[in-house]
Amino acid sequence: MRIEIDCITPPIWRRFSVPSNIELDQLHSIVQAVMGWGDQHAHQWVSVHHSTDNGPDRYIAPEVIERDGYQEDEFGEDEVRIDEAVTAVGEYVRYEYNARARWSHTLVLEQIVEDQPISEPSCFDGERACPPEDSGGPIGYREFLNRQASNGLFDPERFVPAESDAAVTIAVALHKSPPVGSSLFEKFLRSLSVHSAPKLFAAVAEAELRGGYDNYFEVMREGATRQLLWLLNSARGRGIALTASGALPSDHVAAARGELDWDSDGIDVTAGSDPQLAVLVEVAKTLKFVRKLRGTLILTRLGASVLAYEGEL
């Protein structure tokens, strides 16, 4: 497939492949990724080849339907596959993003590959950078480029296929394992462009982000907090006297191996060779739960508060 932003010269376009049975709600995420948008505004699909007496068919997001209900020419984008929206080479559908800015895209079916089925979407070609979210549509974007010409902060010619393809991989991962619904983390991810935080989204692609199992909450909480609480409890009172190299002493290393059930290959009872514990200490320091004082790891006020009220953690 080839997608191009309408009314922009020189053209901003991408070429990518998707399985034919992909539904339009997932294709929306792929389009956002290949183009470089941040999914910060509403969108819809407009069919050119299917229509009713009221006009062309429109495929819209389920949450919009849930809020406003159906119109006669509207269908849920999660109910329509791309091979139903376009059925032959040369057919196309319009993808409209941010109605106020009027960003319209034309998505054309260029080739149907039958001998080598496509298992996962990928992006492999394109030209020019995606406009910034707040650049004001095609007309505003031209004015934006004129203002930016002098400072060079935005490069309109930049396009790196590997970056867009990585963004597609991440979009697929988020679709398969979405963040816990209505969580702060979900809101945080939805507010970012995958291009603005590649390391974060690369980690997200490897993560298991499904949630909603309320009956397992206590188990999940213990798994997420157990190691930190062990370290904070170990630093109660006079703290932990560190070795000359700044590592945890061998008795604490041995205790961690026994009490935390960590892989024995990852924790050695020899002082100074405890990489997992070193990371744990750095995490606790970053969270400002502990600090070093004259060779001793001690609790901060915040760390002591967390121990007193474990729900805080």
Side-chain angles (χ1 to χ4, degrees):
M1 308 206 75
R2 184 184 190 277
I3 187 168
E4 179 178 324
I5 301 180
D6 299 334
C7 305
I8 293 288
T9 304
I12 301 171
W13 62 274
R14 306 286 186 262
R15 182 171 285 116
F16 62 99
S17 59
V18 294
S20 62
N21 63 353
I22 193 172
E23 292 169 348
L24 295 185
D25 63 332
Q26 185 179 357
L27 187 58
H28 153 68
S29 299
I30 302 303
V31 166
Q32 288 282 313
V34 298
M35 293 306 305
W37 294 117
D39 203 4
Q40 298 177 16
H41 304 280
H43 69 279
Q44 69 172 358
W45 305 85
V46 180
S47 174
V48 178
H49 305 282
H50 305 278
S51 62
T52 65
D53 292 339
N54 292 332
D57 289 352
R58 293 181 294 136
Y59 313 118
I60 58 180
E63 57 267 23
V64 175
I65 293 174
E66 185 176 344
R67 185 189 67 216
D68 301 335
Y70 279 102
Q71 301 296 323
E72 187 174 341
D73 58 347
E74 292 179 344
F75 303 86
E77 64 176 358
D78 59 336
E79 301 170 351
V80 180
R81 300 177 3 165
I82 186 58
D83 61 1
E84 295 171 326
V86 289
T87 59
V89 171
E91 290 189 356
Y92 63 96
V93 64
R94 285 205 168 84
Y95 173 77
E96 297 178 351
Y97 175 60
N98 189 355
R100 180 175 295 180
R102 297 185 178 181
W103 288 117
S104 177
H105 309 63
T106 299
L107 182 69
V108 182
L109 176 58
E110 288 193 324
Q111 183 182 8
I112 299 174
V113 180
E114 296 180 347
D115 55 340
Q116 294 180 325
I118 296 166
S119 59
E120 296 288 358
S122 63
C123 178
F124 48 87
D125 200 5
E127 285 186 313
R128 297 181 180 82
C130 182
E133 289 277 352
D134 56 355
S135 54
I139 296 176
Y141 180 58
R142 287 192 287 271
E143 297 172 352
F144 168 82
L145 290 180
N146 291 333
R147 295 194 302 270
Q148 291 290 308
S150 59
N151 59 36
L153 295 178
F154 175 77
D155 181 4
E157 299 299 317
R158 188 179 189 278
F159 171 69
V160 181
E163 291 182 359
S164 285
D165 193 46
V168 169
T169 300
I170 292 161
V172 170
L174 282 173
H175 186 83
K176 289 181 176 179
S177 298
V180 178
S182 301
S183 66
L184 292 176
F185 186 54
E186 179 190 37
K187 294 177 182 177
F188 175 64
L189 283 179
R190 301 303 181 196
S191 70
L192 292 177
S193 162
V194 292
H195 300 282
S196 67
K199 290 183 179 180
L200 169 65
F201 279 93
V204 166
E206 300 297 326
E208 290 290 340
L209 298 175
R210 292 194 184 278
Y213 301 100
D214 293 340
N215 53 324
Y216 293 128
F217 178 77
E218 293 299 330
V219 176
M220 294 165 61
R221 180 167 67 178
E222 181 184 2
T225 61
R226 185 182 179 197
Q227 292 84 5
L228 273 171
L229 288 174
W230 174 87
L231 180 65
L232 300 188
N233 276 305
S234 299
R236 279 180 185 271
R238 297 182 179 181
I240 304 173
L242 303 174
T243 66
S245 62
L248 293 180
S250 58
D251 58 335
H252 282 76
V253 175
R257 188 173 64 177
E259 296 174 27
L260 297 179
D261 297 324
W262 274 359
D263 184 358
S264 59
D265 292 335
I267 298 182
D268 193 320
V269 295
T270 305
S273 56
D274 51 336
Q276 284 182 284
L277 289 177
V279 170
L280 180 61
V281 170
E282 286 305 311
V283 168
K285 287 168 58 181
T286 301
L287 293 172
K288 298 185 176 9
F289 292 159
V290 298
R291 64 187 179 92
K292 289 183 180 179
L293 178 65
R294 300 188 187 93
T296 300
L297 194 69
I298 64 172
L299 290 177
T300 63
R301 282 187 180 180
L302 180 58
S305 174
V306 165
L307 278 182
Y309 307 99
E310 290 188 10
E312 286 189 27
L313 186 55

